[in-house]
Amino acid sequence: MISWNNLDTVASYKELSNVEKVNLAEVMSGENGGKRVKNYSVPMAAGLAFNYAAKQVDDNVLAVLAKLADEMQLAEKFEALYNGEVINTGEKRLVLHHMTRGQLGEAVVADGGDKRNFYVEQQNKITEFANKVHNGEITNAAGEKFTTVVQIGIGGSDLGPRAMYLALENWAKVNNTFKMEAKFISNVDPDDAAAVLNTIDVEHSLFVLVSKSGTTLETLTNESFVKDALKNAGLDPSKHMVAVTSETSPLAKSDDYLAAFFMDDYIGGRFSSTSAVGGAVLSLAFGPEVFAQFLEGAAEEDKLAANKDLLANPAMLDALIGVYERNVLGYENTAVLPYSQALSRFPAHLQQLDMESNGKSVNRFGEPVDYQTGPVIFGEPGTNGQHSFYQLLHQGTDIVPLQFVGFKNSQMGRDVVIQDSTSQQKLCANVVAQIVAFACGKSDDDRNKYFEGGRPSSIIIGDKLDPKSLGALLSHFENKIMYQGFAWNVNSFDQEGVQLGKVLAKRVLAHETDGALKAYSDLLNI
Amino acid sequence: MISWNNLDTVASYKELSNVEKVNLAEVMSGENGGKRVKNYSVPMAAGLAFNYAAKQVDDNVLAVLAKLADEMQLAEKFEALYNGEVINTGEKRLVLHHMTRGQLGEAVVADGGDKRNFYVEQQNKITEFANKVHNGEITNAAGEKFTTVVQIGIGGSDLGPRAMYLALENWAKVNNTFKMEAKFISNVDPDDAAAVLNTIDVEHSLFVLVSKSGTTLETLTNESFVKDALKNAGLDPSKHMVAVTSETSPLAKSDDYLAAFFMDDYIGGRFSSTSAVGGAVLSLAFGPEVFAQFLEGAAEEDKLAANKDLLANPAMLDALIGVYERNVLGYENTAVLPYSQALSRFPAHLQQLDMESNGKSVNRFGEPVDYQTGPVIFGEPGTNGQHSFYQLLHQGTDIVPLQFVGFKNSQMGRDVVIQDSTSQQKLCANVVAQIVAFACGKSDDDRNKYFEGGRPSSIIIGDKLDPKSLGALLSHFENKIMYQGFAWNVNSFDQEGVQLGKVLAKRVLAHETDGALKAYSDLLNI
């Protein structure tokens, strides 16, 4: 029997506050530091490892976190989720994104069918369609192959697929699986669609319209924008567009699209990269086999996330260390710092994934909670960030926990030796140096050059960023965020906070305003 | 006589804590809200206005902030800066980036010459060079025009110029001033340079190497990367590269470059967009006239920033409201939210500008301060952000002050009417709606749909994002950050916090490590 309790109601949470705090600079110095790096590591899927040596924890803290995991029934809650319980209680929905890449538990039947079969069917339909596009069975009206795929979507229909595309674009190019260039139109700002349309050859472009409800205003507006461009070029829009939507949406059975691929209400937008939302664009760009490897990595990592042993469950461990940092140590932010240019938009995706899931002030029963929940997430790739905001991370007045990601090898294999090392070695040397600099600091009589240290970080290390390791990486963070939501007892799967703005924007457009709304509308000439 | 005092030593700071707090939801509701929107606005240059109606201030708070500005001699400190005092005390340097776009005060003589003349000369040299490239007097070895310019630089040599390029790229295209496409190589990750080189035609590319010292490891490494590519294509690198550096750098008088344009030690990297660092790449991309308009906007805004009257000085006002939020109201972050896709990387530039300038724990005399300094800065363009992290901003457990930017008109003028409004109108309606939603909130018996409100924001409103308004926008934030640095009594112009990582990275590459450094190096195969 699962109990959904607030974090501050369990005994181990109180115990956690009383455990002696770790002096990070001290434990990470000298030989002991080396031992921590070797010991405080958990294997992940696809050859990745989660290393938490530089987090402000020790065996005592970890023991209480393990108790907390048990007491809050975290693994049982995940089990309930993947076995099809209504975990998204606000919207009364199942939460099934794991099922887009595997079957962790029992068969789940909903909407009149087995859901795993449903997601596999959709991916099979995408595979068939993508293969036909690639081999020239599906072409434009002139019988010429499509060369470009343009995703039209916003939020979860944009950030995840875009980040994954950028993560694999150059890998696909050097591995000869690059099939079509992908572009993305998301913003309702007309300059976004206009700029993308300016850089593509619409005659050879296929557009993927992504909206679960089929009613997202930004996306429908951009669809019209694109349709106008196609018509102006003398083309039939219905021969250039496919839809990714739910079966019940107005887009589902429309003649306006070459094909429609389905998701459903059990896949939240921000968790939809492994569904048809990511599947269509990524299969078209890189081939369905590459997307299948991506799913495989995610599925393997999901299995690890189901482990009841905290120290063998990287997602749960990462989650609970984050809760300790947020609620006991009092840190408000987390920076995500991938040492990989290919992951340039991965932090932006995690920003949505985390902040939209856990940026809540009420528990799953709608009662205000008395503790902090989701942190602010931000980040940029290293080494670029080192020459930007790292100054504050090292010497600012607030401590920001850090999440590094690094790979032993580059994706493209092209490199240069300067001062006896390759660029890849320099990249890796920098992330190593930063972890230790943040943790240990450096004393100096000149206070301007003094580094306090004690700034905690973890790192996920892999061999190379490829489809499988990317899938594992994505799954890790999805599951970490899910576990934090369980710990904070919030519903991580709705987003009521985005509704008010939509309602007021409609009033502004209808000129049904007074007071401040009217005055701002006047200033912006609406 | 100027006194450099800590914020907590002045009487008005203590007074500020005692002023009654403003109930933002209350004052922004009803007719009073409309009045605030009309009254709480300051004109900026280039037709912009800074509107702070939705900030948690009223006339009482503003009166104490004005006292604080006087007591801390903020305007006098700016005056000292632009008249050439050694404001960057740590590095014993003048701070002269304003002089790249105008002369606010007295002539400043340093390094044997008038500094304003020096910066103008450099821009004149760039103008001449760019015109020759555009009209075909300077070409590749085959006598063909260069079509692409690639900036090689990191941090301030990358983020600002890149953000400005993206901000004006589409404006230039529709205004027929688009001369050359620009690309940027920054990261030491070899995949960054390799990916850019894969997408350009090196034979028709001109590379701008930017490093003030001429010793930045990332940049020199990427230069070698590019030189190899040029040589492999049978080209002479020295006919494809220009340098932007200081006169004393090893790059300054080298035959390896077609030309060298100079900056100096009085221009910090993050403040260098209006110097040759931005000037070369932007003049080549858009023409020197466009860059001149950008400088003009910045110069006009600088003049407003010199105003001693707080309520007529948008930069100082924005700065002090931020100090009030940070030190009295206790907010740790600031989100920058431009409703303009063209400003997609502007938040990343401000992230460096702000966090590297004011992420300090010691005052300008090297003494630890007892108050919080620079906030964490993050942001993405709207409406994209609305479908991402706004959930936390609306309903999260921490309040994040917001900085909106919006324009009445799009850059490209191409639009579509859906549901009786254009995309541009929808974009503007959304930013208006968000400001009011954040400020006023909405009560609801369902706590899940309850919006507390009281979440403060300001907005900078303009007619259109063009070179001049972009210059004004940039200047505003540079000066805001400078004033906050004065208020916190920190040196905003050094960055000692980036040094330790560099030192340790060298040790890792030299294999001079033990303990944690050695153990991490092993994990990453260095």
Side-chain angles (χ1 to χ4, degrees):
Chain A
M1 188 60 197
I2 291 177
S3 302
W4 296 94
N5 293 328
N6 281 6
L7 177 64
D8 55 4
T9 63
V10 299
S12 49
Y13 178 65
K14 289 176 189 81
E15 194 180 341
L16 200 55
S17 307
N18 298 327
V19 185
E20 194 179 346
K21 303 291 179 292
V22 173
N23 183 326
L24 185 61
E26 197 176 290
V27 297
M28 281 297 284
S29 297
E31 279 316 300
N32 189 50
K35 277 187 205 149
R36 275 178 69 98
V37 176
K38 280 174 201 139
N39 295 337
Y40 278 5
S41 175
V42 200
M44 297 170 59
L48 300 174
F50 173 67
N51 193 300
Y52 54 101
K55 283 292 189 186
Q56 208 177 330
V57 297
D58 60 9
D59 291 350
N60 296 329
V61 174
L62 291 168
V64 183
L65 291 178
K67 277 194 220 172
L68 184 74
D70 287 344
E71 211 177 353
M72 295 214 72
Q73 301 173 290
L74 296 184
E76 289 80 0
K77 285 171 184 170
F78 182 30
E79 202 176 342
L81 182 149
Y82 62 67
N83 284 330
E85 275 194 34
V86 178
I87 297 295
N88 178 357
T89 41
E91 298 176 305
K92 300 193 175 49
R93 291 174 179 173
L94 319 187
V95 175
L96 297 184
H97 54 272
H98 299 88
M99 210 163 261
T100 58
R101 56 232 191 188
Q103 175 105 35
L104 283 162
E106 299 157 15
V108 174
V109 176
D111 303 339
D114 178 275
K115 292 312 296 184
R116 171 68 184 152
N117 286 349
F118 172 76
Y119 300 128
V120 171
E121 265 167 36
Q122 297 310 311
Q123 191 47 38
N124 288 343
K125 273 166 57 184
I126 290 170
T127 297
E128 195 184 339
F129 181 84
N131 285 337
K132 283 184 184 171
V133 170
H134 297 153
N135 69 22
E137 282 181 67
I138 295 174
T139 64
N140 70 5
E144 295 157 344
K145 279 193 184 185
F146 291 110
T147 57
T148 304
V149 51
V150 183
Q151 177 108 330
I152 308 172
I154 194 165
S157 304
D158 170 53
L159 291 164
R162 193 193 293 248
M164 302 309 134
Y165 174 76
L166 293 173
L168 295 178
E169 182 182 14
N170 292 307
W171 177 90
K173 283 180 181 168
V174 293
N175 286 281
N176 298 317
T177 65
F178 189 77
K179 311 285 184 186
M180 297 168 78
E181 189 179 24
K183 299 271 184 177
F184 295 84
I185 298 174
S186 52
N187 203 326
V188 78
D189 180 348
D191 288 339
D192 189 17
V196 171
L197 288 168
N198 260 0
T199 62
I200 61 168
D201 163 20
V202 287
E203 203 179 334
H204 300 95
S205 294
L206 192 60
F207 296 85
V208 183
L209 184 80
V210 187
S211 171
K212 182 158 66 179
S213 63
T215 62
T216 314
L217 188 59
E218 280 93 340
T219 302
L220 296 185
T221 301
N222 281 322
E223 180 189 24
S224 288
F225 213 104
V226 165
K227 279 185 173 170
D228 282 359
L230 287 162
K231 284 178 206 157
N232 291 341
L235 302 165
D236 175 357
S238 72
K239 303 295 178 205
H240 285 259
M241 299 194 106
V242 300
V244 175
T245 188
S246 66
E247 281 183 290
T248 55
S249 115
L251 314 175
K253 298 200 166 72
S254 161
D255 290 338
D256 289 350
Y257 308 100
L258 274 172
F261 308 113
F262 301 128
M263 59 185 308
D264 58 30
D265 282 344
Y266 317 130
I267 311 286
R270 56 193 174 273
F271 294 96
S272 69
S273 294
T274 51
S275 78
V277 171
V281 63
L282 297 173
S283 298
L284 285 161
F286 306 134
E289 298 76 14
V290 169
F291 188 69
Q293 292 163 33
F294 171 67
L295 295 185
E296 198 185 322
E300 284 185 24
E301 192 63 37
D302 286 344
K303 279 186 202 154
L304 296 177
N307 202 320
K308 288 194 163 60
D309 175 3
L310 178 68
L311 296 183
N313 184 331
M316 196 196 282
L317 182 58
D318 198 358
L320 289 190
I321 294 173
V323 168
Y324 179 64
E325 289 174 334
R326 184 82 170 113
N327 300 105
V328 178
L329 302 176
Y331 305 146
E332 185 170 329
N333 300 299
T334 297
V336 181
L337 308 166
Y339 275 61
S340 164
Q341 189 62 24
L343 292 176
S344 62
R345 293 299 286 170
F346 196 73
H349 174 55
L350 290 192
Q351 194 172 52
Q352 177 189 22
L353 199 58
D354 205 325
M355 294 172 72
E356 199 170 42
S357 296
N358 293 334
K360 313 277 163 78
S361 298
V362 295
N363 68 11
R364 56 171 50 244
F365 307 111
E367 300 153 354
V369 296
D370 291 328
Y371 43 81
Q372 306 309 106
T373 60
V376 165
I377 303 287
F378 70 99
E380 292 285 336
T383 57
N384 286 358
Q386 291 178 202
H387 293 257
S388 170
F389 53 86
Y390 277 37
Q391 164 67 41
L392 183 145
L393 303 182
H394 279 291
Q395 292 188 319
T397 47
D398 294 300
I399 289 181
V400 179
L402 312 170
Q403 171 73 65
F404 291 103
V405 180
F407 300 93
K408 294 174 205 168
N409 302 295
S410 71
Q411 284 190 312
M412 301 177 78
R414 196 166 156 184
D415 211 328
V416 65
V417 174
I418 299 289
Q419 293 175 14
D420 300 323
S421 60
T422 63
S423 287
Q424 184 64 28
Q425 286 168 325
K426 291 185 184 77
L427 182 69
C428 290
N430 271 283
V431 71
V432 166
Q434 291 296 333
I435 294 171
V436 175
F438 281 118
C440 299
K442 180 181 77 79
S443 75
D444 198 303
D445 289 342
D446 179 350
R447 284 290 306 203
N448 209 28
K449 296 178 180 178
Y450 172 87
F451 292 78
E452 195 183 18
R455 298 179 182 228
S457 68
S458 62
I459 180 168
I460 293 174
I461 296 175
D463 282 327
K464 187 190 281 195
L465 181 64
D466 61 17
K468 202 171 166 186
S469 57
L470 180 67
L473 199 63
L474 177 70
S475 153
H476 173 80
F477 285 103
E478 287 182 357
N479 292 323
K480 171 190 171 179
I481 289 161
M482 170 193 75
Y483 274 127
Q484 292 193 327
F486 290 160
W488 288 317
N489 202 27
V490 301
N491 178 2
S492 302
F493 304 101
D494 66 357
Q495 54 283 323
E496 291 295 341
V498 307
Q499 296 304 328
L500 178 57
K502 287 188 196 176
V503 172
L504 294 184
K506 274 188 192 160
R507 279 177 48 196
V508 171
L509 287 169
H511 299 283
E512 292 165 359
T513 55
D514 54 13
L517 272 183
K518 172 82 170 67
Y520 281 119
S521 298
D522 289 347
L523 291 179
L524 277 150
N525 277 4
I526 304 166
Chain B
M1 188 59 196
I2 291 177
S3 302
W4 297 94
N5 293 328
N6 281 7
L7 177 63
D8 54 2
T9 63
V10 299
S12 49
Y13 178 65
K14 290 176 189 79
E15 195 180 340
L16 200 55
S17 306
N18 298 325
V19 185
E20 195 178 345
K21 304 289 178 295
V22 173
N23 182 326
L24 185 60
E26 195 176 291
V27 298
M28 282 297 284
S29 297
E31 279 316 301
N32 189 51
K35 276 186 205 151
R36 276 177 69 97
V37 176
K38 280 173 201 141
N39 295 337
Y40 278 4
S41 175
V42 199
M44 297 169 58
L48 301 174
F50 172 67
N51 193 300
Y52 55 100
K55 282 292 188 188
Q56 209 176 328
V57 297
D58 60 9
D59 291 349
N60 296 330
V61 174
L62 292 167
V64 183
L65 291 179
K67 277 194 219 172
L68 183 73
D70 288 344
E71 211 176 352
M72 295 214 72
Q73 302 173 289
L74 296 184
E76 290 80 0
K77 286 171 183 170
F78 182 30
E79 203 176 342
L81 181 148
Y82 63 67
N83 283 330
E85 275 193 34
V86 179
I87 297 295
N88 178 356
T89 40
E91 298 175 306
K92 300 192 174 51
R93 292 174 178 174
L94 320 187
V95 176
L96 297 183
H97 54 272
H98 299 88
M99 209 163 260
T100 58
R101 55 228 192 190
Q103 176 105 36
L104 283 162
E106 300 156 14
V108 174
V109 175
D111 302 339
D114 178 274
K115 292 312 294 183
R116 171 69 184 152
N117 287 350
F118 171 77
Y119 300 128
V120 170
E121 265 167 36
Q122 297 310 312
Q123 190 47 38
N124 288 343
K125 272 166 57 185
I126 289 170
T127 296
E128 196 184 336
F129 181 85
N131 285 336
K132 284 185 182 169
V133 170
H134 297 152
N135 69 23
E137 282 181 67
I138 294 174
T139 63
N140 69 7
E144 296 158 342
K145 279 194 184 183
F146 290 111
T147 57
T148 304
V149 50
V150 184
Q151 177 108 330
I152 307 172
I154 194 164
S157 304
D158 169 54
L159 291 164
R162 192 194 292 249
M164 302 309 135
Y165 174 77
L166 293 174
L168 295 178
E169 181 182 16
N170 292 306
W171 177 89
K173 283 180 180 168
V174 293
N175 286 280
N176 298 318
T177 65
F178 189 77
K179 310 285 185 188
M180 296 168 79
E181 189 178 23
K183 300 271 184 176
F184 296 83
I185 298 174
S186 51
N187 203 327
V188 80
D189 180 347
D191 288 339
D192 189 17
V196 171
L197 288 169
N198 259 0
T199 62
I200 61 168
D201 162 20
V202 288
E203 201 177 336
H204 300 96
S205 294
L206 191 60
F207 296 86
V208 183
L209 185 78
V210 187
S211 170
K212 183 158 64 179
S213 64
T215 61
T216 313
L217 187 59
E218 279 94 338
T219 302
L220 295 185
T221 301
N222 281 322
E223 180 189 24
S224 287
F225 213 105
V226 164
K227 279 186 172 168
D228 282 358
L230 287 162
K231 284 178 206 157
N232 290 342
L235 302 165
D236 175 357
S238 72
K239 303 296 179 204
H240 285 259
M241 299 194 106
V242 302
V244 175
T245 188
S246 67
E247 282 184 290
T248 54
S249 115
L251 315 176
K253 296 200 167 73
S254 162
D255 290 337
D256 289 349
Y257 307 101
L258 273 172
F261 309 113
F262 300 129
M263 59 185 309
D264 59 29
D265 282 344
Y266 316 131
I267 312 287
R270 56 192 174 273
F271 293 97
S272 69
S273 294
T274 53
S275 77
V277 172
V281 62
L282 297 173
S283 299
L284 285 162
F286 308 133
E289 298 77 13
V290 168
F291 189 70
Q293 292 162 34
F294 171 67
L295 295 184
E296 197 186 322
E300 285 185 23
E301 192 63 38
D302 286 344
K303 279 187 201 153
L304 296 177
N307 203 318
K308 287 195 165 60
D309 175 2
L310 178 69
L311 296 182
N313 184 330
M316 194 194 284
L317 183 58
D318 198 358
L320 289 188
I321 293 173
V323 168
Y324 180 64
E325 290 175 333
R326 185 84 170 112
N327 301 105
V328 178
L329 301 176
Y331 304 146
E332 185 171 330
N333 300 299
T334 297
V336 181
L337 307 167
Y339 276 61
S340 164
Q341 189 61 24
L343 292 176
S344 61
R345 292 299 288 169
F346 196 73
H349 174 54
L350 290 192
Q351 194 172 52
Q352 177 190 21
L353 199 58
D354 205 323
M355 294 173 71
E356 199 170 42
S357 295
N358 293 334
K360 313 277 164 78
S361 298
V362 295
N363 69 11
R364 56 171 49 246
F365 306 110
E367 300 153 354
V369 296
D370 291 327
Y371 42 81
Q372 307 309 106
T373 59
V376 165
I377 303 288
F378 69 98
E380 292 284 337
T383 56
N384 287 359
Q386 292 177 201
H387 294 258
S388 170
F389 54 86
Y390 277 37
Q391 164 67 41
L392 182 146
L393 303 181
H394 280 291
Q395 293 188 317
T397 48
D398 294 300
I399 290 181
V400 179
L402 312 170
Q403 172 71 65
F404 291 104
V405 179
F407 300 93
K408 293 174 203 167
N409 302 295
S410 70
Q411 284 190 311
M412 300 176 79
R414 193 166 158 187
D415 212 328
V416 65
V417 173
I418 299 289
Q419 294 177 11
D420 299 325
S421 60
T422 63
S423 288
Q424 184 64 28
Q425 286 168 326
K426 291 184 184 76
L427 182 69
C428 290
N430 271 283
V431 71
V432 166
Q434 291 296 333
I435 294 172
V436 174
F438 280 117
C440 298
K442 180 181 76 79
S443 75
D444 198 304
D445 290 341
D446 180 350
R447 285 287 306 203
N448 209 26
K449 296 177 179 177
Y450 172 88
F451 292 79
E452 194 183 17
R455 298 180 180 226
S457 68
S458 63
I459 179 167
I460 293 175
I461 296 175
D463 282 327
K464 188 190 281 196
L465 181 64
D466 62 17
K468 201 169 165 185
S469 58
L470 181 66
L473 199 63
L474 177 71
S475 153
H476 173 80
F477 285 103
E478 286 182 357
N479 292 323
K480 171 191 172 179
I481 290 161
M482 171 195 74
Y483 275 128
Q484 293 192 327
F486 290 160
W488 288 318
N489 201 28
V490 300
N491 178 3
S492 303
F493 305 102
D494 66 358
Q495 55 282 324
E496 293 294 340
V498 308
Q499 295 305 328
L500 177 57
K502 287 187 197 175
V503 172
L504 295 184
K506 274 188 193 160
R507 278 178 47 196
V508 171
L509 287 169
H511 299 283
E512 293 165 359
T513 55
D514 54 13
L517 272 183
K518 172 83 170 67
Y520 280 120
S521 299
D522 290 346
L523 290 179
L524 277 150
N525 276 4
I526 305 166

